[in-house]
Amino acid sequence: MSEDGCARYAKVGSMTVYELAELDHPDWSQALIGSHHLAVPASAVFDLISEVEKWPVWFSLLTSVRIAEPGLRLDLGTELLIRSRIPGEDEQIFEVDQYRKDRLLSLVGAYSLRRRIEFRIEPRDEFSSLQIRLDYPVYGGVVGQFFDQLTARRRLTAQLKDSLIHFTGLVEYNEHSDGSLRDL
C-alpha cells in the first residue's frame, strides 16, 4: 500500500495486476489481485473456471485441484482439495462460499477464513473481464510481512501474472478455434 493509501499496481499490456493490503487486519492478511480483459463472452470464461481439475494447467500457483466428493458438480458449499504453492499447508480444503453462474466463484479456506481464492467475471457484450483475488494470512507482524515480501509475495505475484496470460490464451483459443485441441 502506498503512503497515500492507494493500491500499488503494474500494467503489462492489457493486464493490470493490483496489490492491496487488507485495511482491517494489515498484520495477517494481504490480497493479490490480478485482472485481464478477454475477447470471449463471460459464459466461456466461467465454463473454463468451472473445470476445477484443469486449474493447474493455467493457474500456476496450484499443483492439483479436485472436488472432495467425486461425482458432485461445482456449486455453493462444494468442498475442493487444493495443493498449492500458497504459504501454509501443502494441501488445503476450500469451500465454495459464493457462486453466481457466469459472474462469481469464491472459495474460502475450510479451516481459515483468511484464505480465499476468488474469480470475478464482468460481462461486456462479446468481451469480458476476469479478476482473480488471492488472500492468505501473513503472521509475525512487520517482520513476517517483510519476509513474505522477499519470498512468497514476489513469486506469487509473478505466478498470478503468468496465470492470467495462460488463462487468456486457453479460453480464447478454445472459443475461437475449430476445436481440435480443446481438451489439452
Side-chain angles (χ1 to χ4, degrees), residues 87-110:
E89 297 293 321
D90 288 341
E91 184 171 81
Q92 300 175 28
I93 300 173
F94 282 81
E95 182 180 340
V96 177
D97 72 328
Q98 295 180 49
Y99 182 91
R100 279 182 249 140
K101 179 107 170 94
D102 297 341
R103 295 286 183 146
L104 173 68
L105 175 63
S106 178
L107 309 173
V108 66

Side-chain angles (χ1 to χ4, degrees), residues 3-26:
E3 291 177 18
D4 60 358
C6 297
R8 288 182 282 182
Y9 66 92
K11 197 124 176 96
V12 180
S14 65
M15 178 176 58
T16 307
V17 176
Y18 297 92
E19 183 177 346
L20 299 175
E22 282 288 326
L23 299 178
D24 294 338
H25 307 285

Side-chain angles (χ1 to χ4, degrees), residues 27 30 138-154:
D27 289 341
Q30 293 188 357
V138 177
Y139 302 105
V142 176
V143 174
Q145 287 182 347
F146 176 73
F147 282 113
D148 181 60
Q149 290 288 336
L150 291 176
T151 57
R153 167 106 8 211
R154 183 175 289 166

